Amino acid sequence: MRIIGWLLIAVSLMPLSAASAAESEHSLSPGEAVIFSLPDVWPWAYEDDDGKFRGGLFEVAHRLSEISGVPVSPQLRPLRRAIVELRSGHANFTILFQSPELDNEAINVATITRVNILLAAMADTAYPLTLADLKGMKVAYIRGTYLGDAFERDTNVAKVPVNAIRQAVELLSMGRISAILASEHNLRQTLSEEGLSPSMLRYTVHVPEQVGALYMSRVSSLPDVALKFKAAIATMNADGELNRIFYGEARSASQNDLARPTQ
């Protein structure tokens, strides 16, 4: 029966990611918490002025725990370190933009959210907003973030890594860069936080509905926990909770005004 139970777990996770010889199943001792390494990228996950962890990713991690009954220990990490900890097995789970590299190195458990990746420029500019048309120009993006294969492979634009989109907006306003590549969620929240109108920029959709996914480490995998989290995510999707966490009561990814091209 134990063998049959394991086979059912393996089959359930197989569509999410191919099995790997590097995968290693771990079991939790009673009361032991599952470790989440969450990327320190505002507004997804961050530490506020009072030293409290905030952002949608922390909220999702805590709700997964509440729904599944599995204790979790969410830890804020620089983006690259979060990925390293997932690869090494120091962390069991993380939530990141889906990428081919991560799909190969970790186990893609479930989709958490979908968000458009936008190219943005000052509203009073007129050049087309595509990577091809931005050849030779400076484009700011969050350091280490996967923003689609086209940008990953592009060698013609001058990529300017920043730690926060508010820094990119400032550089854009000063004329030091030509465009920003970022998620609509990050852009909208940044402009709102800074008291700026979305109309100060113009936008085009670079990658429609980029997936943000729950990933599990292959080195310290917990397939039974992954199944519980996957079921919890399905519950949160069914009642619209994930959408409310990231977009609020009155908005959805499809309703976001930044997602509408302005050129």
Side-chain angles (χ1 to χ4, degrees):
M1 291 298 294
R2 180 178 177 83
I3 295 176
I4 293 174
W6 163 247
L7 287 175
L8 289 173
I9 292 172
V11 168
S12 298
L13 288 179
M14 194 66 70
L16 306 172
S17 179
S20 166
E23 292 175 15
S24 176
E25 180 186 359
H26 290 244
S27 59
L28 293 174
S29 58
E32 182 182 357
V34 170
I35 297 175
F36 274 74
S37 280
L38 298 178
D40 186 1
V41 177
W42 191 95
W44 300 96
Y46 61 98
E47 185 177 355
D48 68 14
D49 294 337
D50 296 323
K52 296 181 179 180
F53 292 152
R54 304 287 189 186
L57 300 191
F58 277 103
E59 193 171 345
V60 168
H62 286 303
R63 286 295 291 139
L64 290 179
S65 176
E66 291 171 354
I67 296 170
S68 68
V70 176
V72 301
S73 175
Q75 301 173 2
L76 188 65
R77 296 287 187 260
L79 191 151
R80 291 180 179 177
R81 183 176 171 187
I83 296 173
V84 168
E85 290 187 351
L86 188 73
R87 288 170 178 161
S88 69
H90 179 79
N92 305 108
F93 293 90
T94 190
I95 302 171
L96 293 166
F97 280 148
Q98 182 180 5
S99 72
E101 184 177 11
L102 277 174
D103 282 348
N104 182 56
E105 295 179 345
I107 299 171
N108 189 328
V109 176
T111 294
I112 295 292
T113 189
R114 296 177 185 270
V115 61
N116 291 332
I117 303 299
L118 306 181
L119 274 165
M122 296 302 296
D124 59 0
T125 58
Y127 44 83
L129 280 176
T130 68
L131 289 183
D133 290 304
L134 291 169
K135 180 178 179 180
M137 299 184 185
K138 295 180 180 179
V139 178
Y141 70 104
I142 291 291
R143 189 187 312 272
T145 305
Y146 180 80
L147 296 167
D149 189 56
F151 185 69
E152 198 81 2
R153 293 184 289 102
D154 192 283
T155 58
N156 293 319
V157 299
K159 300 177 183 179
V160 179
V162 296
N163 293 321
I165 290 302
R166 59 171 54 88
Q167 179 186 359
V169 172
E170 182 178 356
L171 292 173
L172 191 64
S173 300
M174 297 168 60
R176 295 177 61 181
I177 60 173
S178 299
I180 300 170
L181 185 62
S183 71
E184 60 181 346
H185 180 68
N186 200 331
L187 275 167
R188 178 170 62 86
Q189 295 286 353
T190 297
L191 294 174
S192 176
E193 183 77 8
E194 297 297 313
L196 300 172
S197 171
S199 63
M200 71 175 286
L201 304 178
R202 58 191 180 90
Y203 315 86
T204 58
V205 177
H206 175 66
V207 179
E209 296 195 340
Q210 170 71 47
V211 168
L214 174 67
Y215 280 100
M216 179 172 67
S217 173
R218 290 189 183 277
V219 178
S220 57
S221 65
L222 296 166
D224 54 335
V225 174
L227 288 177
K228 291 179 181 179
F229 284 168
K230 186 178 180 182
I233 290 166
T235 298
M236 295 170 74
N237 263 324
D239 66 11
E241 184 175 0
L242 285 171
N243 188 68
R244 289 194 296 272
I245 287 174
F246 293 112
Y247 292 97
E249 293 290 343
R251 306 184 72 90
S252 69
S254 61
Q255 293 170 333
N256 196 303
D257 53 2
L258 300 192
R260 302 192 185 105
T262 58
Q263 66 172 46

